[in-house]
């Protein structure tokens, strides 16, 4: 019996041309891909990869099995989607992943609606960073994920995934209320060249984005503190120990002693749902994406209403 995870690794090598590129596409380590191929070779009794200069190539047997693997994996996904579509309604378990502020800002509304409208559907939500969510969807560990990228730093998605835009999430600069720029209607990032920043942890997508964006504005970041949760960042800002980029989705009330000011050239995160394209017909996925879109529309409406009501950036959103 051929193992689907091993076939998925071989198919990725055929698509991407190398073990390292396949690992990147699958969001796993090169060692993990190599181990899967070694096991597949033992199971089939065939050499599937051969050295080719400093790289590798598929053997004839490898190309033959890779072609079959692509069709097998597609058929497995289609079979699952067809079975659910045949039932005609969302039922069973639906595994979902999302980054923290999407969990806080979108999912309470979306999950409550799914529970009310589709009582036989069992959504299971896991909070995780976007890269982990993408990996989960590609592997089949997740059915739907909510991920993000930034206006100037798109997130690369592997082939075979479908996506639906949910909302554009504006970000402000959060600073102590006694900061010289706290009373401004708008600010420019260049004006914070001498400030100390509070960032997300190193190696996280948003930390890399912050470094890239500040440096593109001629500002060498001075990172004083790192905190993953936005509410923790705001608490540090209230204590007067730094400033931070503060997205609005899921942000909640801003603590006393903190001011948030929009950037003149808006910084926005693009938030969207992703799933495997072969599962597009599953009613449960369609229902989940529809409810996430409704939740996102409600966030947009509240954000716009607050802005019109007091002429200031709303305190809700971001994460």
């Amino acid at each position: 019996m051929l193992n689907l995870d091993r076939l998925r690794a071989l198919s990725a090598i055929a698509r991407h041309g190398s073990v390292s590129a396949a690992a990147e596409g699958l969001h796993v380590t090169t060692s993990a891909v190599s181990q899967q191929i070694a096991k597949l070779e033992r199971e089939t009794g065939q050499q599937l990869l051969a050295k080719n200069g400093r790289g590798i190539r598929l053997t004839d047997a490898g190309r033959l099995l890779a072609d079959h693997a692509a069709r097998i994996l597609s058929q497995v996904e289609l079979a699952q989607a067809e079975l659910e579509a045949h039932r005609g309604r969302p039922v069973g378990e639906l595994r979902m992943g999302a980054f923290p502020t999407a969990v806080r800002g979108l999912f309470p509304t979306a999950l409550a609606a799914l529970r009310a409208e589709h009582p036989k559907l069992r959504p299971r939500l896991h909070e995780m960073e976007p890269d982990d969510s993408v990996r989960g969807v590609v592997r089949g560990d997740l059915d739907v994920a909510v991920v993000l990228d930034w206006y100037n730093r798109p997130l690369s998605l592997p082939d075979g995934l479908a996506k639906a835009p949910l909302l554009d999430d504006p970000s402000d600069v959060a600073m102590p209320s006694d900061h010289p720029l706290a009373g401004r209607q708008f600010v420019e990032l260049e004006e914070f060249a001498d400030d100390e920043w509070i960032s997300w942890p190193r190696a996280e997508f948003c930390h890399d984005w912050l470094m890239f964006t500040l440096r593109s504005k001629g500002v060498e970041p001075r990172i004083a503190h790192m905190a993953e949760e936005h509410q923790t960042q705001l608490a540090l800002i209230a204590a007067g120990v730094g400033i931070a980029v503060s997205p609005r989705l899921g942000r909640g009330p801003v603590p006393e002693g903190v001011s948030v000011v929009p950037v003149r050239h808006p910084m926005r995160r693009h938030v969207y749902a992703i799933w495997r394209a072969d599962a597009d017909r599953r009613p449960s996925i369609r229902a989940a994406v529809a409810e996430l879109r409704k939740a996102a529309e409600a966030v947009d409406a509240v954000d716009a209403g607050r802005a019109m009501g007091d002429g200031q950036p709303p305190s809700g959103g971001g994460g």
Side-chain angles (χ1 to χ4, degrees):
M1 181 69 69
L2 295 172
N3 180 280
L4 290 179
D5 286 337
R6 290 161 202 163
L7 291 178
R8 190 171 286 112
L10 181 64
S11 180
I13 292 173
R15 288 199 314 272
H16 296 290
S18 71
V19 172
S20 59
E24 183 177 352
L26 293 171
H27 291 258
V28 298
T29 64
T30 55
S31 175
V33 173
S34 296
Q35 289 175 24
Q36 295 281 30
I37 297 301
K39 291 177 181 177
L40 189 58
E41 288 183 328
R42 288 196 297 269
E43 289 174 351
T44 59
Q46 301 267 1
Q47 182 182 0
L48 304 175
L49 300 181
K51 290 185 178 180
N52 184 28
R54 300 178 64 179
I56 57 96
R57 62 175 177 83
L58 292 175
T59 64
D60 290 344
R63 284 196 299 272
L64 176 66
L65 186 54
D67 289 342
H68 282 291
R71 291 193 292 271
I72 290 168
L73 293 169
S74 179
Q75 283 301 121
V76 168
E77 196 69 62
L78 285 170
Q80 293 172 337
E82 291 279 354
L83 281 171
E84 188 174 323
H86 182 71
R87 289 193 293 262
R89 60 187 185 278
V91 297
E93 186 174 75
L94 183 71
R95 301 157 300 172
M96 309 175 75
F99 59 95
T101 49
V103 170
R104 190 161 60 244
L106 297 177
F107 274 85
T109 300
L111 290 176
L114 285 172
R115 184 176 184 178
E117 295 291 328
H118 308 289
K120 292 188 177 182
L121 181 66
R122 301 189 307 277
R124 298 291 183 262
L125 175 62
H126 301 273
E127 184 178 288
M128 57 183 67
E129 290 301 310
D131 284 343
D132 294 329
S133 290
V134 172
R135 184 184 305 118
V137 174
V138 170
R139 286 178 172 176
D141 297 332
L142 297 174
D143 300 304
V144 179
V146 174
V147 299
L148 65 91
D149 59 22
W150 290 86
Y151 69 103
N152 59 345
R153 199 74 181 260
L155 177 68
S156 178
L157 291 177
D159 294 336
L161 296 186
K163 70 177 183 178
L166 298 178
L167 78 159
D168 285 348
D169 180 33
S171 295
D172 307 309
V173 177
M175 65 197 79
S177 294
D178 60 0
H179 191 283
L181 301 179
R184 294 270 293 276
Q185 185 178 4
F186 296 100
V187 292
E188 303 279 5
L189 289 178
E190 295 89 334
E191 297 179 280
F192 298 97
D194 297 328
D195 284 274
E196 291 188 329
W197 287 84
I198 300 167
S199 174
W200 298 268
R202 285 189 180 91
E204 285 196 7
F205 181 72
C206 288
H207 172 84
D208 294 342
W209 167 82
L210 181 63
M211 302 298 100
F212 170 81
T213 300
L214 290 176
R215 285 169 179 156
S216 72
K217 299 290 185 179
V219 176
E220 183 56 35
R222 299 171 58 198
I223 306 299
H225 310 285
M226 294 184 181
E228 188 164 358
E229 286 290 330
H230 286 187
Q231 290 301 318
T232 303
Q233 294 180 5
L234 292 174
L236 293 171
I237 294 167
V241 299
I243 65 172
V245 170
S246 183
R248 297 180 191 172
L249 176 64
R251 185 165 67 197
V254 173
E256 185 176 352
V258 176
S259 293
V260 290
V261 182
V263 178
R264 185 173 298 279
H265 302 289
M267 301 182 297
R268 295 183 181 273
R269 302 185 309 173
H270 308 305
V271 179
Y272 45 93
I274 62 170
W275 62 94
R276 294 182 301 283
D278 287 341
D280 195 59
R281 291 190 60 196
R282 287 182 59 187
S284 57
I285 290 177
R286 294 186 177 189
V289 172
E291 294 302 339
L292 286 166
R293 280 176 159 164
K294 291 177 185 177
E297 290 170 1
V299 169
D300 277 339
V302 170
D303 192 72
R306 286 174 176 166
M308 291 175 60
D310 58 16
Q312 298 296 323
S315 61

